[in-house]
Structures are given as structure tokens and as C-alpha cells.
Amino acid sequence: MKLNVLFSLVSADELYFTDRTTVVIDVLRASSSIITALSNGANEIIPVATIEFAVKVSGGMFGGKTLLGGERNTKMIDGFALGNSPFEYSQKIVENKFIVFFSTNGSKAIVKAKFSKNLFIGSFNNLSAITKHLIKLNENVEILCAGNNNLFSLEDSVCSGMLIDEIVKMNSKVELSDSSLAALAMYEKFGSNIYEMLKNTEHGKKLIQNGFESDIEYCSRCNTTNNIPYFKSNVLKLLIPGGSVY
Ligand code: MLT
């Protein structure tokens, strides 16, 4: 089992992911919101790479059960029902709904990795569940950090490093690429207080300025759920223990 980290969306093109096992990480906040929405009973999430496509796809789908969710520049998009705060994806709002989801980096990362054989969504919230599942799969893994507008982001890289650390602790035969070693080193340097680390990132500071500090605290919580979103046939659903999809 070899682990490799891609630190931004421009590190690879779509075809790179063909037949690979990939984990997309966008800690602030797309991964955390997607995990929350599916955990709270959303039927499925349809990630899209443009706002125009979100609007087009949502029109007339699933007879009134569709919600448009996501953000541009951390704020809710005109005409969308939901923004990208995990607190908006409560059971009352999302249960039995189909959510068409666009976000600046997270949904684009998922769409980019769509040719993966296995594509999972990870964050601090479900880290231990993802770790156990990857160890069971025993495949080489690409960890795709959604990053920040095609650039590096510390929060996704530290989360990748924590995932690698957990996997290495449970499986001593893991091979690490140079980028995995770098992610591990970032986790060792910045991972002792995840909430503080998140608040001091570029994106964390922007979220605080825009009134979303409680989202940062929510996204910093480790292992609050065992739920793993899994991408198949263009939609995200939850993986159930044993490997099939709800
Ligand atoms: C993204 O996909 O870039 C984000 O999740 C941004 C955010 O809403 O904080």
C-alpha cells in the first residue's frame, strides 16, 4: 500500500485518477458539510464544478426534492437554498433531499477525481473511519487536497498528514511518497491543536471575518462520525460498513 498526497487541484489532471483509490479532503468546509448532510439523511449529493451547471442540473430534478447548496467566496450563492456551513445541513432541512452542491474548491476536487475506481470524502470528522476503511481495502491511495483556488492550503495538508499517521500506526508496511512524508511532517508540526491551526490558516481567517468561527470549531472535531461519503455514478452517498453504498 503506497500513499501519495496531491497538495492542490493542479497537481494532476482528470485522467491521472483513472482506476485509482482517492480521498478528497476539503476540511474548511466542503468535506465537513457533505459528511454532515449525508449523515443527516440527505438522499444524495451531486457535486458540480460550476454554478451554471448546478442551476441546470437542479431544474426539474426529483420533483421538488432538490436543494442547491454551496458557496462562492464563503458566501451563499444567489438563488441557492443553502450555503456551505455544516450547521445549515440539519436533518430537518436535508432529510430525503437531493443536494446539488457547488463550492469553490471542494466540489471541483471531487469532479476532478471522478474517474477514480474508489472515491471517498474525508475530513477530521471521519478520519478514523476512513483510516480503517483504507486499511481494509489495501490499495494504493491518492489523497487529493482541495486547497485554495488551485494553491496549497495548510488545513487540508495537515489533515492528510493525520490520515497518513493513523494508517502508518495501524499498518507498518505502508510505503510513503515524498509528498506523504511532507504531509506527515506538517501534521507533526501543526497537528497538536487542530482548532488553533484551522483558525490561523488563510481560509480560517477569512471564515472568521465572515462570521463563521463556529464552523471552524465544528470542522476541527476529530472522529465525530463513522460515515464515509462515496462517489459513484456522479453522486455521493454513504458507504455502509462492509463496503456497499446506502
Ligand atoms: C470550498 O470548497 O472552497 C470551501 O468549502 C469553501 C468554504 O465554504 O469555506
Side-chain angles (χ1 to χ4, degrees):
M1 180 182 197
K2 183 171 179 180
L3 305 179
N4 185 48
V5 179
L6 301 164
F7 285 117
S8 89
L9 283 194
V10 288
S11 304
D13 65 13
E14 280 85 352
L15 292 181
Y16 175 84
F17 295 95
T18 308
D19 282 337
R20 296 184 194 257
T21 291
T22 306
V23 179
V24 167
I25 294 183
D26 185 3
V27 170
L28 295 175
R29 296 165 291 172
S31 290
S32 315
S33 295
I34 288 169
I35 293 165
T36 303
L38 289 171
S39 302
N40 283 336
N43 268 335
E44 54 189 44
I45 295 182
I46 303 114
V48 295
T50 65
I51 295 173
E52 293 68 32
F53 194 60
V55 173
K56 201 165 161 185
V57 168
S58 68
M61 257 178 114
F62 308 118
K65 284 189 160 191
T66 312
L67 294 174
L68 276 169
E71 56 69 50
R72 182 163 47 191
N73 212 7
T74 78
K75 308 234 177 67
M76 201 200 279
I77 301 162
D78 274 352
F80 276 40
L82 301 167
N84 194 23
S85 166
F87 293 107
E88 292 179 74
Y89 293 82
S90 64
Q91 185 178 3
K92 195 168 159 223
I93 304 286
V94 302
E95 196 167 33
N96 296 322
K97 294 289 195 306
F98 298 81
I99 300 170
V100 180
F101 184 81
F102 169 85
S103 70
T104 314
N105 306 290
S107 69
K108 285 183 197 155
I110 299 163
V111 172
K112 182 151 212 181
K114 62 178 180 286
F115 296 134
S116 302
K117 176 170 65 178
N118 296 299
L119 174 48
F120 307 107
I121 309 301
S123 78
F124 290 112
N125 298 161
N126 69 352
L127 202 96
S128 161
I130 290 260
T131 304
K132 288 185 199 133
H133 190 69
L134 292 176
I135 286 174
K136 209 169 72 191
L137 269 184
N138 199 23
E139 300 255 359
N140 296 338
V141 178
E142 298 292 324
I143 305 172
L144 174 60
C145 298
N148 203 351
N149 289 310
N150 291 339
L151 299 176
F152 175 88
S153 78
L154 185 64
E155 65 274 17
D156 296 340
S157 308
V158 171
C159 187
S160 304
M162 188 172 177
L163 177 59
I164 292 162
D165 184 62
E166 298 270 315
I167 293 173
V168 169
K169 277 187 202 145
M170 289 177 74
N171 181 350
S172 54
K173 291 204 186 112
V174 175
E175 197 186 325
L176 300 182
S177 69
D178 287 359
S179 59
S180 289
L181 288 169
L184 199 51
M186 281 185 264
Y187 169 61
E188 282 159 8
K189 167 92 181 150
F190 296 105
S192 58
N193 187 332
I194 304 290
Y195 181 39
E196 282 305 313
M197 179 275 294
L198 291 181
K199 282 198 292 185
N200 285 305
T201 61
E202 292 170 27
H203 195 65
K205 287 179 189 156
K206 191 170 177 183
L207 287 171
I208 291 170
Q209 265 170 18
N210 290 333
F212 293 115
E213 184 163 349
S214 52
D215 288 6
I216 300 179
E217 192 278 322
Y218 183 96
C219 296
S220 74
R221 295 182 203 160
C222 292
N223 307 324
T224 52
T225 177
N226 286 325
N227 288 332
I228 304 174
Y230 181 71
F231 183 84
K232 198 176 173 200
S233 310
N234 296 317
V235 304
L236 288 161
K237 291 184 172 225
L238 286 183
L239 196 70
I240 48 171
S244 52
V245 180
Y246 276 116

